[in-house]
Amino acid sequence: MNFYVMTLFPEMIEQGMNTSITGRAIAKGLLSLETVNIRDYSVAGNGRIDDYPYGGGAGMVMQAEPIYRAYEEVKSRITVDTGHLRVIYLTPQGRVFHQEMAQELAQEENLVFLCGHYEGVDERVIETVVTDQVSIGDYVLTGGELPAMVMMDAISRMVPGVLSNAESGQSESFSDHLLEYPQYSRPEIWRGQPVPPVLLSGHHGNVERWRREQSLIRTLKSRPELLKDADLDSGDIAFLKSISSE
Ligand code: 6GU
């Protein structure tokens, strides 16, 4: 997986991505990351890449040409056919990112991210180069860098070899539309709070049932809308009924 990021803040992207699990994967060559600083493609040649919005109004707009030139630079670095290259523009106007999107994008060999700033980006360059517009949720951020990193992190962990066996062995929130059960480690009693006794019982069947119930309780409490897509058996449904009527 090769990530290319067009941004005004390449150091932010590089610092973030070269840390922890994604950093290890880059060092191993499982992922690559290249940033292109849009400011280096200023039309006036003075580093200026924004201008006033036609029609007036507050704020500045990122101009089309520096972004287009940055995109041409990215394309020139990609040796394979770029006919179907996915170019993702991070914007609160986009479709909301979710796990299945991460799964799907992880199948690509190359992904390009365009991080906007100021009040927006000239619509014409979006229409010319962007294939996907993506938001990471219903709140407004100052720029697309954190959303791009959120997406790359979620996509990276779907790339074979990025997670160790121990890391990928954990059951996954969202992959089955249920939230994860709570976890406990030593000591057995911490500041007066014991570990749930079933986890110390050594009875594997009871542990599994308790974990399943905890997942169902958490999902019902925090994200009830997920339950309609979850794969529930008759025991799950009976359990949910029993706790909803409490
Ligand atoms: Cl992708 N960009 C910005 N600026 N704000 C956001 C977002 C993206 N997703 C949620 N909020």
Side-chain angles (χ1 to χ4, degrees), residues 194-215:
V195 169
V198 63
L199 300 178
L200 311 176
S201 69
H203 190 301
H204 185 67
N206 287 352
V207 170
E208 286 305 298
R209 168 141 31 88
W210 181 84
R211 286 179 166 169
R212 182 77 181 176
E213 291 174 357
Q214 293 299 312
S215 283

Side-chain angles (χ1 to χ4, degrees), residues 90-92 134-144 147:
L90 289 310
T91 168
V134 181
S135 163
I136 61 161
D138 292 338
Y139 39 83
V140 180
L141 302 170
T142 54

Side-chain angles (χ1 to χ4, degrees), residues 109-185:
E109 188 177 344
N110 299 290
L111 287 174
V112 184
F113 294 89
L114 169 60
C115 304
H117 257 264
Y118 309 101
E119 297 305 302
V121 169
D122 190 305
E123 191 68 20
R124 294 167 295 184
V125 73
I126 298 172
E127 286 169 4
T128 306
V129 310
V130 168
T131 60
D132 301 81
Q133 300 196 37
V134 181
S135 163
I136 61 161
D138 292 338
Y139 39 83
V140 180
L141 302 170
T142 54
E145 282 75 15
L146 288 169
M149 285 195 271
V150 164
M151 287 188 68
M152 289 189 283
D153 188 293
I155 292 164
S156 295
R157 53 192 299 297
M158 300 290 109
V159 171
V162 167
L163 297 186
S164 69
N165 271 346
E167 289 156 353
S168 57
Q170 296 177 14
S171 68
E172 295 260 293
S173 276
F174 298 110
S175 55
D176 53 5
H177 304 279
L178 289 178
L179 302 183
E180 272 175 50
Y181 51 78
Q183 300 273 19
Y184 300 85
S185 184

